Amino acid sequence: MKRILVMSDTHGNQVFLRQVCQMEEYEVLFHLGDDYSDLNENDDLTDHKMVIRVPGVMDHVTRSGSVDLIQHVTIENWRFQLVHRQEDEEMIFPLDHVILFGHTHHPVHFFRNKILYANPGHLKSTHHRNHHASYMLITLDDNILNIEWKDHKGIIFDRYSATRAEWN
C-alpha cells in the first residue's frame, strides 16, 4: 500500500506546506504547481520520499520552458497524470487512470471517459476564492484507490473510493 500526499497552489505558504507534510504519513509527494520552487527549501520533509512536481502558471520555469508541464507516473499499477491546469492535460495510451490538476484552488473530483479527475484545492492561505485551504491524501494498492480531501488542519471533508473494476 502507498500513500500519496497531493498539494497544489501553495504560493509560497511555507507554514501550511510544512504543517501538512509533518502531519501526514506518506511515501510519495505530488505538487501540482504554483509554486514549483516551494519544495526547494524542504529537504528535511522530503528526504527519502518520491517527489514529483509540475510548474504552475505563476512559476518562472513555466515561462522559460525548462521544466515539463506534465508528468506521468505509475504507482502500484495505477497511472497518474500530473498537470497544473486541467486544459493542459494530454491523452496518451494507455490512458491514465487519474488526472490530478490544480490552478482553480477548488477541491473537486469527477469521472469522465473512465478517467478520474481530481483537484486537491490550495494551500495558499486559510481561505481563498471561496474555499478553505485543502490537500489530498491518496491511499492505494493494486485494486483500490481511496482519496481523502482534508483542510490544512488535517480534518477530512470529502472522500472518494474506487476499485480497479470501475476502469474496466
Side-chain angles (χ1 to χ4, degrees), residues 4-16:
I4 305 169
L5 180 60
V6 185
M7 59 178 64
S8 186
D9 297 284
T10 48
H11 291 280
N13 188 336
Q14 291 294 316
V15 172
F16 283 2

Side-chain angles (χ1 to χ4, degrees), residues 2-5 20-28 49 137-139 150:
K2 289 277 189 206
R3 291 176 304 262
I4 305 169
L5 180 60
V20 167
C21 286
Q22 290 169 336
M23 208 172 14
E24 295 293 348
E25 289 185 32
Y26 61 98
E27 295 80 35
V28 180
K49 312 256 190 237
L137 186 66
I138 300 174
T139 307
K150 300 182 179 187

Side-chain angles (χ1 to χ4, degrees), residues 130-159:
N130 297 319
H131 292 277
H132 293 286
S134 62
Y135 64 96
M136 293 181 338
L137 186 66
I138 300 174
T139 307
L140 48 87
D141 64 26
D142 276 343
N143 295 310
I144 300 173
L145 175 138
N146 291 302
I147 303 176
E148 296 174 333
W149 280 263
K150 300 182 179 187
D151 69 15
H152 71 284
K153 295 178 183 176
I155 298 170
I156 298 168
F157 65 87
D158 197 5
R159 286 188 165 102

Side-chain angles (χ1 to χ4, degrees), residues 9 14-15 20 26 28 42 45-46 53-54 60-61 64 66 72 74 80 84 88 92 102 107 130 139 145-146 150 160:
D9 297 284
Q14 291 294 316
V15 172
V20 167
Y26 61 98
V28 180
N42 293 290
L45 299 174
T46 59
R53 55 187 173 167
V54 294
H60 71 280
V61 294
S64 72
S66 62
H72 296 272
T74 301
F80 294 89
H84 183 66
D88 291 334
I92 62 166
N130 297 319
T139 307
L145 175 138
N146 291 302
K150 300 182 179 187
Y160 178 82

